[in-house]
Amino acid sequence: MNFFEHQDKARQNTQQLLGLFALSIVVMILAIYIAALFLLRLAPRIWWEPQIFLCIASGTIIAIAIGSLYKIFCLREGGRVIAQELGGRYLVADMANPQEKQLLNIVEEMAIASGIPVPEVYILDAEMGINAFAAGFTLNDAVIGVTRGTLLSLNRDELQGVIGHEFSHILNGDMRLNLRLVGLLHGILFIYLTGELLWRLRGTESREEKGPPLWAFGVALMLIGWIGLICGRIIKAAVSRQREFLADASAVQFTRNPDGIASVFEKLQRSDSRLISPRAEASSHMFFGNPLNPSFWEAMLSTHPPLSERIRRVRGLNTRNLAASPSVRRSSTPDSLAMGFAGGSPTITPEQVVNQVGSVAPEHFAHAQALLSKLPEALRLGVREQQSAMAIAFALALEVENTPVQERQLAWLREVQPSEIVEQTLTFKDEISQIDPGLRLPLIDLVVPALRKSSAKECHRLCKCIQGLIVATGSFSLWHFILQLVLWHRLQPLIDPTATIKVEFTSIEDIWSDSITVLSAIARVGQSKPDDIAYAFRSGVFRLPGAGKQEKADTPVTCNFSQVKKSIERLRLASPKLKQAIVDACAHTVLLDNQVTNSEADLLRAIAMTLDCPIPPFLDSQRRAIKAKS
């Protein structure tokens, strides 16, 4: 399956999750009803009392709803909530030891190679077992947590395999499903917690009261809570087990090194993956390995497959077959891709671009390592510190070739920012002017983790300042549009945590005009002659589903950047299948002449990023490879 099919599968799993959740509520209502009949001494004479059943059903549903809604509200800030509940410490680069710096480097390399923002990294210092997890609602609020034992026990290849496994959960949509599962199942656990409270109040009851003691009902609720706990385990096992096998295979695909992750599993057989945190039960399905104490029930209802089976499957993977299989054939060799994007033999096709979405291949990973090594030391260190990251973002908005315009921008910046940030901006401006233009877009993703340390108000002010720098130029360039589009998209979960993205459009008719607007913009960026623009535009339009049934569009529409941004925001609400068609149409428009300019590559990737369809930076890497050969 490709990225879009995984997203559809994740949506189906969400529906399955809701069905299992509803079924578990029915089981718990029946269990509480039967317990109440015995406590009221009606059973076994009477088994049906509508009023009692209605009271219990409504009360149970309300209690579970309160518990679930409360937890969902607590999780609104994304994966960092889970990391902090588990005792995680946010990993700051300046305070990291060599092992922690190695972890940060691997996460950064994997993020750039897959085209997603760098996730925040948390260390579970109190946990000595080998384990890790990924959590978040979207690519933009994802976090990765790693136990102290993982850092102490694994070498770089093994750690890379673990991180590749977690990135698979991020890219395949498992992460969002897992976080929803935590919120829903907390409501079921709420029944058990209520029973425990009643049990603790047993000493406060009056001995003169007649009828069953309140603590007895508390014990019954605790027992019923165990039923809910078992139901929760069944739900988590049903959702998680096959996804773990897929993530293992994806980790091998990303690294082409099955020995790395297999070696981790073998170490787990000899050591431990358990967590001491009492919160481990609620999030057990998120982890790389089983974080719970082994038991009979755990073996029956484990959220993770047996280690022996995971080792057998990973050891049995042939990396050559992986490269040729449909589910993994997402990247060709660097040379073949380069020829297609540099005007040589057209070996790269739009279908291959679509298959690259949400993918990581060894060549992408190697490119990410090369990219980070080419960044000047000042930028390399600056992206990890909050104030420096802000200065880098401002520097990216400065006009490079027009000195008077740049001076006007800096004069405006001095009015709204402290002199220290302005001086840093000047320093980073000189560094950025020396790097390859193809590195600017990955540089945005590198500054995002540091910018996320800011408050929502500070992030909003940052975006306003960048807008002010752009307005000071007196014009609006394509790069400025891309910078604003990507940066706002990456920071949106922090600026507006309540904003949710739900599928609203499942038919191309609903977003036809928006698709036309976006394709018009891409055609104009890639071509200069009117006939060539029209031909590239039609090439993309004909790739849209049902193009023959829609209003005929022979020439691109006139549009400005504001209209393009609004259209992209609407396309973001389309179903995964429609997004696949849109990315395919955009790729056809770009690849019509077998040439990809910097502007085309940046715009195509920016559009895909905003649609939450991450494209690795292979366009840039292959173009630079051909440039070097020539």
Side-chain angles (χ1 to χ4, degrees):
M1 291 190 292
N2 64 19
F3 172 83
F4 302 98
E5 291 166 336
H6 282 304
Q7 297 298 307
D8 266 335
K9 183 66 175 177
R11 287 181 64 209
Q12 294 171 12
N13 283 343
T14 300
Q15 295 171 358
Q16 179 190 32
L17 165 63
L18 292 174
L20 291 172
F21 181 67
L23 180 61
S24 66
I25 292 176
V26 171
V27 172
M28 293 185 69
I29 289 173
L30 291 175
I32 295 175
Y33 172 69
I34 293 172
L37 290 181
F38 277 101
L39 286 171
L40 295 174
R41 299 176 182 177
L42 295 176
R45 293 180 296 104
I46 300 174
W47 289 104
W48 178 241
E49 278 291 339
Q51 291 182 339
I52 295 176
F53 180 82
L54 182 61
C55 290
I56 288 175
S58 57
T60 302
I61 292 173
I62 291 173
I64 291 176
I66 290 173
S68 294
L69 291 174
Y70 167 76
K71 191 63 176 181
I72 290 171
F73 178 78
C74 292
L75 294 173
R76 68 191 185 282
E77 293 185 7
R80 68 175 64 177
V81 177
I82 296 293
Q84 292 166 355
E85 285 183 350
L86 290 166
R89 169 179 58 88
Y90 178 70
L91 185 53
V92 180
D94 292 343
M95 302 174 63
N97 62 34
Q99 293 169 326
E100 293 169 345
K101 288 181 179 178
Q102 176 179 258
L103 171 63
L104 284 175
N105 289 337
I106 292 174
V107 172
E108 285 181 348
E109 292 163 3
M110 192 72 73
I112 293 172
S114 57
I116 69 171
V118 180
E120 294 180 356
V121 179
Y122 285 81
I123 302 296
L124 307 185
D125 288 308
E127 305 292 352
M128 301 309 295
I130 299 174
N131 228 323
F133 69 92
F137 285 113
T138 69
L139 300 176
N140 297 323
D141 64 14
V143 307
I144 286 179
V146 176
T147 63
R148 173 62 57 190
T150 300
L151 295 182
L152 295 176
S153 304
L154 305 186
N155 60 36
R156 196 182 202 281
D157 285 344
E158 293 167 341
L159 186 59
Q160 188 172 300
V162 171
I163 299 302
H165 175 102
E166 299 308 326
F167 264 81
S168 172
H169 287 310
I170 295 174
L171 293 167
N172 292 334
D174 304 337
M175 183 180 65
R176 182 183 183 89
L177 178 65
N178 288 341
L179 206 56
R180 284 177 172 173
L181 194 55
V182 172
L184 289 177
L185 294 184
H186 185 79
I188 295 178
L189 187 61
F190 187 71
I191 301 293
Y192 176 83
L193 297 176
T194 302
E196 186 179 38
L197 177 63
L198 295 177
W199 165 256
R200 290 179 178 179
L201 294 175
R202 64 188 183 277
T204 63
E205 293 180 281
S206 172
R207 295 186 178 183
E208 297 179 359
E209 293 181 2
K210 297 181 179 181
L214 193 59
W215 63 263
F217 192 63
V219 171
L221 286 181
M222 290 175 67
L223 293 174
I224 292 166
W226 275 105
I227 295 175
L229 187 63
I230 293 173
C231 288
R233 288 279 185 93
I234 292 173
I235 292 173
K236 289 192 286 187
V239 171
S240 299
R241 282 202 177 197
Q242 289 304 314
R243 310 301 288 180
E244 292 302 315
F245 283 133
L246 174 62
D248 294 343
S250 295
V252 176
Q253 170 200 337
F254 294 167
T255 62
R256 300 286 162 82
N257 180 17
D259 292 336
I261 192 169
S263 177
V264 179
F265 293 142
E266 289 168 352
K267 286 185 176 181
L268 284 178
Q269 286 183 316
R270 299 191 299 269
S271 57
D272 205 345
S273 62
R274 288 176 293 176
L275 268 65
I276 62 174
S277 170
R279 304 292 185 102
E281 169 66 47
S283 53
S284 62
H285 56 294
M286 292 184 172
F287 281 88
F288 175 81
N290 186 0
L292 304 178
N293 290 319
S295 65
F296 172 77
W297 286 110
E298 184 56 41
M300 293 285 292
L301 304 174
S302 175
T303 54
H304 293 69
L307 286 172
S308 57
E309 179 64 14
R310 295 175 79 175
I311 293 171
R312 187 187 67 80
R313 293 199 183 196
V314 168
R315 290 290 189 193
L317 290 173
N318 185 309
T319 54
R320 293 183 180 180
N321 291 340
L322 274 175
S325 66
S327 62
V328 182
R329 192 178 57 242
R330 300 182 180 182
S331 55
S332 304
T333 63
D335 291 340
S336 66
L337 286 172
M339 292 183 69
F341 279 106
S345 173
T347 55
I348 186 69
T349 67
E351 288 76 16
Q352 287 175 295
V353 174
V354 170
N355 285 332
Q356 296 277 345
V357 174
S359 169
V360 181
E363 51 267 29
H364 302 152
F365 201 72
H367 166 60
Q369 291 174 320
L371 183 151
L372 291 172
S373 67
K374 289 180 181 178
L375 278 180
E377 185 69 13
L379 288 175
R380 189 75 179 85
L381 297 176
V383 297
R384 291 178 171 176
E385 198 273 322
Q386 183 180 351
Q387 184 171 295
S388 299
M390 291 177 61
I392 292 173
F394 293 146
L396 285 168
L398 293 179
E399 179 62 44
V400 178
E401 298 178 354
N402 193 322
T403 303
V405 171
Q406 185 183 105
E407 289 298 329
R408 195 160 63 239
Q409 288 179 296
L410 290 172
W412 182 88
L413 189 63
R414 289 188 180 96
E415 295 177 1
V416 297
Q417 289 293 334
S419 58
E420 184 179 355
I421 291 184
V422 176
E423 291 304 316
Q424 283 185 308
T425 301
L426 287 170
T427 301
F428 291 131
K429 179 260 300 182
D430 295 332
E431 299 284 358
I432 291 173
S433 65
Q434 302 299 318
I435 66 175
D436 190 306
L439 302 181
R440 294 183 302 177
L441 196 54
L443 190 57
I444 297 176
D445 276 339
L446 284 173
V447 301
V448 167
L451 294 178
R452 285 185 185 143
K453 300 176 192 175
S454 309
S455 65
K457 186 177 181 180
E458 288 172 329
C459 285
H460 192 268
R461 187 175 179 223
L462 169 73
C463 293
K464 285 291 185 182
C465 284
I466 289 177
Q467 183 179 2
L469 287 171
I470 295 171
V471 171
T473 65
S475 61
F476 199 70
S477 68
L478 177 64
W479 168 248
H480 287 150
F481 171 72
I482 291 171
L483 174 62
Q484 273 195 306
L485 184 70
V486 174
L487 195 58
W488 176 265
H489 178 65
R490 295 306 198 206
L491 296 178
Q492 188 181 27
L494 185 60
I495 296 173
D496 185 10
T498 60
T500 57
I501 300 300
K502 297 181 180 179
V503 173
E504 295 185 11
F505 307 123
T506 56
S507 172
I508 193 64
E509 288 83 3
D510 299 326
I511 52 172
W512 180 257
S513 62
D514 300 298
S515 302
I516 294 298
T517 298
V518 171
L519 292 176
S520 298
I522 293 177
R524 286 195 170 91
V525 168
Q527 307 294 334
S528 56
K529 297 179 181 179
D531 289 344
D532 294 339
I533 293 173
Y535 185 53
F537 169 73
R538 289 194 298 270
S539 174
V541 170
F542 289 151
R543 295 295 301 181
L544 294 173
K549 300 177 182 179
Q550 303 301 319
E551 183 179 350
K552 191 175 182 180
D554 291 328
T555 57
V557 298
T558 302
C559 55
N560 56 36
F561 286 124
S562 177
Q563 292 169 325
V564 175
K565 183 175 183 294
K566 289 180 180 178
S567 291
I568 293 174
E569 289 174 350
R570 279 177 52 83
L571 294 179
R572 193 182 175 199
L573 305 177
S575 66
K577 280 297 182 184
L578 280 181
K579 287 183 179 179
Q580 178 176 355
I582 293 163
V583 172
D584 177 71
C586 292
H588 269 83
T589 305
V590 168
L591 291 169
L592 183 67
D593 56 359
N594 295 321
Q595 297 282 350
V596 179
T597 65
N598 273 321
S599 297
E600 285 179 303
D602 285 346
L603 181 58
L604 177 59
R605 288 195 64 215
I607 291 172
M609 285 178 179
T610 312
L611 297 181
D612 296 315
C613 304
I615 294 182
F618 64 93
L619 301 173
D620 303 324
S621 60
Q622 310 314 327
R623 187 174 54 253
R624 285 197 295 274
I626 284 297
K627 184 178 179 180
K629 288 183 180 181
S630 61

